[in-house]
Amino acid sequence: MKRWIDGGGIALLFLVLLTPAAGALAGDTLDGPGLKAHMASIDSWLDMRRGAALPVLTDGEYATLAEGKGVLSEQVDEDSKLIRATFFRLVEVDAWRLWVGLADCNQHDQFMPHVQESVVLEEGRNGKLTYQYLSLPMVKARQWVVRGWDNGPLWQNSGGKVWESAWVLEPDSDGVANRFREAGAIPGVTEEEMTEGIYTTVNEGYWLLVELPDDRVLVAYQAFSDIGGKVPAWLINEMGPPGLARMVQKMDERGRVIERYYASGEFPPPAPDGSALPQLASP
C-alpha cells in the first residue's frame, strides 16, 4: 500500500544522490519519466547498498515525486508480518547538509519525534553503536541499541553522488545499554527509566540520499521495526505520513543552517568513507 503526501520542501533521515541520467541536462527539472530513467541509470551503484531493497515505484509515483510530493510505500514482511515502510521525497537542500544531520547520531533528538536521548556508545571498524530512548505520553517508553554503518564504497564509486547509512538491532540490547549506563555513557536516562522502558525486538532501516541532475536530492527513509505492546492510534498516526513529513521538515530546516551546530569547536561527522567533508573544513 502506498500513500501520497503533499507538502513543502522536506528532507528525510537517509538520502540518495544521483548522477545525470541519459538525456538529462543539468538544470532541467526532472519529470516523472526522467526521474525513473535516472534511477535506472544508477542501478549498478544501488546494487552496492547495505540496506534492504528499495521498493519498486510505479510511473504514477515517480510523477508524484517529481511534483514535489512525498510517497510512502508499505510492504508486509512475509515472515514476521510486520510492515516495512519506505518514505520518498525530493528536496532542495544540498545532500551534504542532510548527511551531517543524519550521520551525527548524538543529535538525533533534535529532529526525531519523542526521542529523549540519542547517544553514540562506541564507534570503530565494526560500525557505530547507538542507544536511543523514545519517551511517549500515556504509554511506556521504547528504547533500542542499533549498530549502523555508513556506506563508504558506495559513496566513493558513485563519485559522491549516493549516500547511505543503514542500521540493524544489536543483540542483547538491554545488557549493552545497562553496561554503558553504569559506565556513565547514557546521562539522559535514569536507571528507573531504562528498567521500565520496553526494548524493541525488531529495528532496522536506512537513510538513502541521491543527488539529481536538476539540483534536487531524492531522500529515502526506510524503517522496519516492532515497538511492542499496545500502540495507541495517535502514535500510529505520528509514525505514518504526517509524522514522517514533520521529521523531514525539521531535517530540512536544520540542514539549511547546519554550520551553526559546528561553530564552537565541535567536530562534524565525516563523509561516508571517513574523510572530512570539505564544506565544513576549518579555514
Side-chain angles (χ1 to χ4, degrees), residues 232-264:
W234 66 264
L235 181 55
I236 294 176
N237 291 334
E238 280 206 359
M239 293 182 173
L244 291 172
R246 286 191 295 270
M247 179 178 69
V248 173
Q249 182 65 46
K250 288 184 178 180
M251 288 190 61
D252 179 289
E253 294 170 353
R254 191 169 182 271
R256 294 175 185 273
V257 293
I258 198 66
E259 295 93 339
R260 296 180 183 176
Y261 297 90
Y262 301 97
S264 301

Side-chain angles (χ1 to χ4, degrees), residues 5-52:
I5 305 157
D6 294 313
I10 293 178
L12 285 174
L13 299 184
F14 229 63
L15 303 174
V16 183
L17 299 183
L18 303 177
T19 55
L25 298 176
D28 291 347
T29 300
L30 292 178
D31 57 9
L35 179 59
K36 180 179 180 180
H38 189 73
M39 292 298 291
S41 74
I42 62 166
D43 272 347
S44 60
W45 292 345
L46 297 180
D47 285 344
M48 299 178 65
R49 294 177 48 254
R50 299 191 64 155

Side-chain angles (χ1 to χ4, degrees), residues 15-28 30 33-46 90 95 154-163 208-218:
L15 303 174
V16 183
L17 299 183
L18 303 177
T19 55
L25 298 176
D28 291 347
L30 292 178
L35 179 59
K36 180 179 180 180
H38 189 73
M39 292 298 291
S41 74
I42 62 166
D43 272 347
S44 60
W45 292 345
L46 297 180
L90 298 188
L154 170 60
W155 187 75
Q156 290 178 334
N157 279 274
S158 67
K161 298 295 183 181
V162 182
W163 315 57
L208 186 66
L209 308 176
V210 179
E211 195 173 84
L212 300 170
D214 60 4
D215 295 329
R216 291 186 292 179
V217 174
L218 173 64

Side-chain angles (χ1 to χ4, degrees), residues 157-237:
N157 279 274
S158 67
K161 298 295 183 181
V162 182
W163 315 57
E164 183 194 30
S165 180
W167 65 90
V168 297
L169 188 69
E170 179 75 1
D172 188 30
S173 286
D174 55 345
V176 172
N178 275 290
R179 187 172 73 251
F180 278 94
R181 183 195 58 77
E182 291 172 356
I186 307 177
V189 178
T190 66
E191 180 179 2
E192 181 180 2
E193 288 175 326
M194 188 171 287
T195 300
E196 293 183 354
I198 296 175
Y199 283 90
T200 58
T201 57
V202 178
N203 195 320
E204 64 180 67
Y206 60 78
W207 285 102
L208 186 66
L209 308 176
V210 179
E211 195 173 84
L212 300 170
D214 60 4
D215 295 329
R216 291 186 292 179
V217 174
L218 173 64
V219 177
Y221 169 69
Q222 184 175 110
F224 180 58
S225 63
D226 182 4
I227 64 173
K230 294 183 179 180
V231 181
W234 66 264
L235 181 55
I236 294 176
N237 291 334

